[in-house]
């Protein structure tokens, strides 16, 4: 019944939903009616324009999607405990973690689990929490916001990355040597607006200096690096990002004598989601590769 309800969320009519399920339309209709009778609410509204879920139907569909995913995970776990290294792992990864950490961890994981499917969502934080809550993702890697947002999640620090002031090659301010001397420079900030905090703001504030107002903002550090390479903008970015970027010959670090705030990358999952054996193996590979940082 829940599967049939989910089919209706993906199609605009009973006929299209029944066709996708490979069942007759009257069978689908009776299934939905039985579910409505059991719950005592109307789940579906029919009109000349098609079929849509009621508010109760939409709320039930959200839970049904999580139930469906958990059933799939249960079947996969049983097979994996039998020794069959199959399954599907879905992870959300921040852009920087995707570039710095995931390729090496995946290569290590693939040695023992070549048949396991891995879906990677290049996600910005904290929006990725919505996908964790809906069981679309099994776990995620990236920075974390503070406060009550962490309560439902089990978190683990993977690595803390050193940040640096990045400029294009030949930038006229390359010899300044201090943050205070760069306060009038044109800056680009990066990171999600509701994310874990602005490194630019934190670094200047630690010196008792009001941070400069950025001329631009990018959610992704990788996107910010593109703008830095083609302009006089400065940015505070992970030092290791320059080592793996294809633009490493076009940009460089400005030596700064004052300390710069660090960025921490975490691995996290919902506390009520028990990892399958393949998920456990992938997280072990991620931990091992993160030790290099």
């Amino acid at each position: 019944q829940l599967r049939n309800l989910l089919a209706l969320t993906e199609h605009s009519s009973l006929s299209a939903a029944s066709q996708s399920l490979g069942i007759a339309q009257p069978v689908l209709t009776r299934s939905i009616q039985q579910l409505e009778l059991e719950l005592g609410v109307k789940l579906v509204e029919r009109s000349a324009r098609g079929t849509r879920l009621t508010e109760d139907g939409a709320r039930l569909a959200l839970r049904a999607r999580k139930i469906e995913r958990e059933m799939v995970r249960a079947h996969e776990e049983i097979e994996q405990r039998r020794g069959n290294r199959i399954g599907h792992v879905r992870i959300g990864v921040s852009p920087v973690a995707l570039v710095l950490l995931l390729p090496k961890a995946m290569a290590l994981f693939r040695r023992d689990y070549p048949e396991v499917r891995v879906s990677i969502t290049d996600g910005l934080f904290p929006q990725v929490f919505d996908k964790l809550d809906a069981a679309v993702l099994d776990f995620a890697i990236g920075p974390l916001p503070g406060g009550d947002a962490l309560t439902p999640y089990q978190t683990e620090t993977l690595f803390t990355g050193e940040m640096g002031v990045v400029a294009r090659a030949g930038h006229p301010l390359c010899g300044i040597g201090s943050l205070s001397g760069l306060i009038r420079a044109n800056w680009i900030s990066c990171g999600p607006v509701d994310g874990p905090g602005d490194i630019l703001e934190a670094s200047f504030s630690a010196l008792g200096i009001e941070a400069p107002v950025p001329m631009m903002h990018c959610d992704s550090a990788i996107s910010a690096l593109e703008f830095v390479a083609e302009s006089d903008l400065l940015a505070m970015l992970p030092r290791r990002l320059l080592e793996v970027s294809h633009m490493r010959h076009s940009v460089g670090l400005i030596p700064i004598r004052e300390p710069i705030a660090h960025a921490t990358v975490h691995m996290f999952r919902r506390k009520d989601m028990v990892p399958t054996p393949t998920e456990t193996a992938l997280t072990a590979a991620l931990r091992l590769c993160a030790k290099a940082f």
Side-chain angles (χ1 to χ4, degrees):
Q1 289 173 335
L2 294 178
R3 178 202 64 190
N4 294 343
L5 181 70
L6 288 174
L8 280 176
T9 68
E10 300 168 3
H11 301 277
S12 58
S13 69
L14 284 165
S15 59
S18 60
Q19 186 174 3
S20 72
L21 292 167
I23 61 177
Q25 183 175 329
V27 175
L28 175 60
T29 300
R30 283 196 300 272
S31 173
I32 299 298
Q33 289 172 343
Q34 289 169 359
L35 188 57
E36 289 177 328
L37 183 62
E38 181 178 342
L39 297 175
V41 294
K42 195 74 172 174
L43 300 174
V44 176
E45 291 180 342
R46 303 168 182 83
S47 69
R49 291 180 296 178
T51 303
R52 71 178 187 87
L53 299 184
T54 64
E55 183 178 353
D56 287 323
R59 289 181 177 274
L60 178 59
L62 287 175
R63 293 186 180 275
R65 186 69 68 190
K66 296 177 70 171
I67 293 169
E68 180 187 52
R69 176 61 186 138
E70 277 301 297
M71 288 301 299
V72 171
R73 286 164 57 87
H75 283 290
E76 289 178 353
E77 181 169 21
I78 290 171
E79 289 297 319
Q80 291 162 18
R81 290 176 64 83
R82 289 175 176 168
N84 298 321
R85 296 189 170 186
I86 59 172
H88 189 181
V89 182
R90 301 167 178 85
I91 60 177
V93 188
S94 68
V96 169
L98 178 64
V99 172
L100 296 183
L101 181 62
L102 207 59
K104 291 182 179 179
M106 283 300 305
L108 186 62
F109 174 73
R110 284 292 180 209
R111 294 178 190 174
D112 296 323
Y113 295 87
E115 302 298 323
V116 174
R117 292 175 58 205
V118 178
S119 295
I120 299 167
T121 299
D122 184 357
L124 294 172
F125 292 71
Q127 291 84 359
V128 74
F129 290 122
D130 292 337
K131 295 181 179 179
L132 278 174
D133 292 340
V136 174
L137 299 176
D138 299 317
F139 65 95
I141 307 166
L144 287 176
D148 296 337
L150 303 183
T151 303
Y153 305 98
Q154 175 185 333
T155 66
E156 174 185 348
T157 299
L158 283 179
F159 66 91
T160 299
E162 293 186 1
M163 307 292 283
V165 178
V166 182
R168 67 168 175 83
H171 195 288
L173 297 177
C174 282
I176 292 296
S178 71
L179 279 181
S180 58
L182 297 174
I183 192 152
R184 297 190 182 279
N186 292 328
W187 288 85
I188 178 171
S189 61
C190 58
V193 175
D194 297 324
D198 189 349
I199 299 298
L200 180 65
E201 173 73 30
S203 297
F204 276 91
S205 296
L207 301 175
I209 304 173
E210 185 176 352
V213 177
M215 300 294 292
M216 286 187 65
H217 176 82
C218 285
D219 282 345
S220 168
I222 297 172
S223 299
L225 187 60
E226 296 275 356
F227 287 105
V228 168
E230 299 295 334
S231 69
D232 279 341
L233 291 167
L234 303 181
M236 285 190 180
L237 301 173
R239 289 173 173 263
R240 284 186 175 268
L241 186 59
L242 273 64
E243 299 173 10
V244 300
S245 172
H246 67 281
M247 291 178 293
R248 59 185 175 275
H249 302 301
S250 305
V251 296
L253 292 168
I254 296 180
I256 299 295
R257 55 179 171 265
E258 299 99 340
I260 296 176
H262 289 64
T264 304
V265 172
H266 304 263
M267 179 162 58
F268 53 100
R269 70 172 71 247
R270 285 194 61 87
K271 292 178 180 178
D272 58 358
M273 290 187 69
V274 180
T276 64
T278 53
E279 290 171 38
T280 300
L282 181 53
T283 55
L286 288 162
R287 291 189 193 97
L288 186 62
C289 293
K291 286 183 179 180
F293 298 160

